[in-house]
């Protein structure tokens, strides 16, 4: 058993690693975790301490990863209706506010998720067989609710089209052989090229056609009242529970559904964009908590980070808890890392936003596109590069049919529901 001081030191190393990876455009937390799956067992250190580093890195990565997405994925005004709400805030010069909204959402959601994670996981464990049997129906219901959440008939038809195309992409690509050099044998998958192509490359490609520079980011006053912000963050907690227990559901999907009760599911606007940022950030943070609780109670890893943890220390004999760290230890690490993540988001995030927006825009976007392609090849081989390009074409569809990009998550839950 590692001493508290050693565990703390490793957790701080994880915080530093998560900060670095979170600021690299296009690098998903699960991609980092899959690398750690291969690296962690060979690290010379107590399993508890190494596990704390992995967990801290994953948590902090989710906090910082919003920043490159805000500043590097800004679309032209013509494609703004299909852009993520955070991008619209940057277009309006409210990037600093978006960072603060994200911090508020994560902080409130952390408290809420820690409070309910253990009892909720026990309820899910009691109904596990029913949940698995009903999974296709539940995912089909999620897809239907996403379509119904669109504000117009045209957008709903566009959502159905995007959902169908994304589902076909999933059937076509998810089971292709992946041989990435950045992942250990047996851990490579097509997820990195699929998600990089669907959600990263299209926004950058649209941004290449944009004219003018990113506007100055002035003003930090939040455009939501305290009650609205708390409601959106708690909606994110509910969304995080969906992500934590239903495969194929992302924080973006959860936020769209959850915001039906938070006042943000309607057309883009002053309140809805801000509520979406709060709820999505809250869902990301809550997901980290619920994934750990799911691992401890159900013995089932529900994220790349928990896969790395389970490969390091292994489940207890009864499959209900992780030894030797324990649920309480993992939750303490999450709270510690999340607290530092909020501070880093506010300090490092604003400086990153200020520096990167002054760089030459088109060359920077081309470099980021190249990085996404390189990561796709690194994580899934040459086939991964081809999948990335195909997914990028599919990812260009939603703004052109007036629908949200979130329907593209059908690439995961479509094959699960229909398979």
């Amino acid at each position: 058993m590692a001493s508290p001081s050693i565990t703390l030191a490793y957790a701080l190393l994880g915080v530093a690693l998560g900060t670095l990876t979170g600021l690299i455009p296009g690098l998903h937390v699960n991609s980092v975790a899959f690398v750690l799956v291969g690296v962690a067992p060979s690290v010379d250190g107590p399993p508890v301490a190494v596990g704390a580093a992995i967990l801290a890195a994953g948590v902090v990565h989710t906090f910082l990863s919003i920043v490159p997405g805000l500043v590097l994925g800004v679309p032209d005004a013509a494609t703004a209706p299909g852009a993520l709400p955070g991008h619209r805030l940057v277009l309006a010069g409210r990037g600093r506010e978006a960072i603060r909204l994200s911090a508020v959402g994560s902080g409130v959601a952390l408290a809420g998720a820690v409070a309910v994670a253990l009892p909720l996981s026990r309820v899910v464990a009691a109904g596990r067989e029913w949940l698995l049997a009903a999974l296709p129906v539940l995912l089909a219901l999620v897809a239907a609710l996403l379509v119904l959440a669109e504000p117009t008939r045209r957008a709903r038809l566009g959502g159905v089209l995007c959902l169908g195309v994304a589902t076909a992409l999933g059937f076509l690509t998810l089971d292709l052989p992946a041989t990435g050099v950045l992942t250990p044998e047996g851990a490579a998958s097509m997820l990195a090229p699929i998600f990089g192509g669907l959600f990263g490359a299209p926004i950058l490609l649209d941004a290449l056609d944009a004219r003018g520079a990113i506007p100055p980011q002035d003003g930090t006053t939040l455009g939501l009242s305290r009650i609205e912000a708390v409601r959106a963050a708690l909606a994110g907690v509910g969304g995080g529970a969906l992500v934590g227990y239903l495969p194929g559901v992302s924080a973006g999907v959860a936020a769209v559904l959850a915001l039906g009760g938070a006042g943000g599911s309607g057309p883009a606007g002053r309140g809805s964009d801000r509520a979406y940022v709060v709820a999505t950030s809250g869902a990301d943070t809550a997901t980290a908590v619920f994934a750990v609780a799911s691992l401890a109670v159900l013995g089932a890893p529900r994220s790349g980070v928990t896969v790395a943890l389970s490969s390091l220390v292994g489940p207890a004999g009864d499959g209900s808890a992780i030894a030797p760290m324990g649920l309480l230890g993992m939750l303490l690490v999450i709270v510690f890392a999340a607290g530092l993540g909020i501070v880093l988001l506010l300090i490092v995030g604003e400086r990153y936003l200020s520096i990167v927006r002054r760089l030459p825009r088109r060359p920077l976007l081309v470099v980021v596109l190249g990085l996404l392609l390189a990561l796709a090849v690194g994580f899934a081989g040459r086939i991964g590069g081809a999948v990335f390009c195909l997914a990028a074409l599919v990812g260009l569809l939603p703004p052109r049919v007036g629908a949200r990009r979130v329907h593209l998550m059908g690439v995961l839950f479509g094959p699960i529901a229909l398979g």
Side-chain angles (χ1 to χ4, degrees):
M1 182 68 69
S3 68
S5 59
I6 293 177
T7 302
L8 177 62
Y10 272 77
L12 287 172
L13 286 175
V15 168
L17 176 62
T19 301
L20 177 63
T21 60
L23 295 176
I24 298 176
L27 190 57
H28 192 272
V29 62
N30 282 347
S31 299
V32 177
F34 287 136
V35 175
L36 294 176
V37 168
V39 174
S42 62
V43 174
D44 186 15
V48 170
V50 178
I54 292 173
L55 193 53
V59 170
V60 174
H61 178 105
T62 62
F63 278 77
L64 273 296
S65 62
I66 187 177
V67 182
L70 286 174
V71 71
L72 295 176
V74 180
D76 185 59
T79 57
L84 295 178
H87 300 158
R88 288 193 289 261
L89 289 173
V90 173
L91 283 173
R94 305 296 298 181
R96 295 174 66 193
E97 181 191 355
I99 288 175
R100 281 165 167 72
L101 288 168
S102 176
V104 168
S106 293
V108 174
L110 175 67
V114 168
V116 303
L118 184 57
L120 181 59
S121 291
R122 287 175 175 165
V123 170
V124 172
R128 188 178 186 180
E129 292 185 4
W130 176 88
L131 180 64
L132 291 175
L135 186 58
V137 175
L138 291 175
L139 291 177
L141 178 61
V142 168
L145 290 175
L146 286 176
V147 171
L148 292 174
E150 292 287 4
T152 67
R153 180 183 179 185
R154 178 178 182 273
R156 287 191 284 271
L157 291 174
V160 172
L161 175 63
C162 293
L163 185 64
V165 174
T167 298
L169 178 68
F171 276 115
L172 180 65
T173 61
L174 281 173
D175 293 330
L176 291 175
T179 56
V181 298
L182 296 179
T183 48
E185 185 176 354
S189 76
M190 284 295 162
L191 292 182
I194 288 173
F195 282 103
L198 286 177
F199 299 104
I203 295 176
L204 296 171
L205 289 170
D206 284 335
L208 283 173
D209 293 330
R211 297 179 180 179
I214 299 173
Q217 303 298 303
D218 299 321
T220 58
T221 302
L222 301 188
L224 290 178
S225 68
R226 290 183 180 179
I227 293 177
E228 289 172 327
V230 171
R231 285 178 60 199
L234 293 180
V237 174
L242 287 177
V243 181
Y245 299 111
L246 290 183
V249 179
S250 72
V253 171
V256 170
L257 298 179
L259 283 177
S265 61
R270 182 175 181 271
S272 62
D273 283 352
R274 287 166 170 81
Y276 187 95
V277 171
V278 172
T280 305
S281 298
D284 269 339
T285 302
T287 297
V289 177
F290 289 124
V292 161
S294 176
L295 180 63
V297 176
L298 303 176
R302 289 290 298 115
S303 70
V305 171
T306 51
V307 168
L309 277 175
S310 61
S311 72
L312 175 67
V313 295
D318 60 358
S320 63
I322 291 299
M325 186 178 290
L327 176 60
L328 178 60
M330 290 189 289
L331 289 178
L332 287 174
V333 171
I334 288 177
V335 172
F336 171 75
L340 290 180
I342 292 174
V343 175
L344 288 166
L345 175 61
L346 295 174
I347 297 175
V348 179
E350 286 198 7
R351 292 182 180 178
Y352 185 101
L353 191 66
S354 176
I355 292 172
V356 174
R357 82 166 195 87
R358 290 184 171 89
L359 298 176
R361 191 178 186 192
R362 286 198 172 188
L364 182 61
L365 293 173
V366 171
V367 169
V368 175
L369 277 170
L371 175 62
L372 288 177
L373 178 58
L375 289 172
V377 174
F379 282 111
R382 286 179 291 181
I383 296 179
V387 169
F388 171 84
C389 295
L390 178 60
L393 291 176
V394 174
L396 291 170
L397 182 61
R400 284 148 183 87
V401 295
R404 295 184 176 101
R405 295 184 189 276
V406 73
H407 299 289
L408 298 180
M409 280 304 300
V411 72
L412 284 187
F413 61 69
I416 294 173
L418 297 176

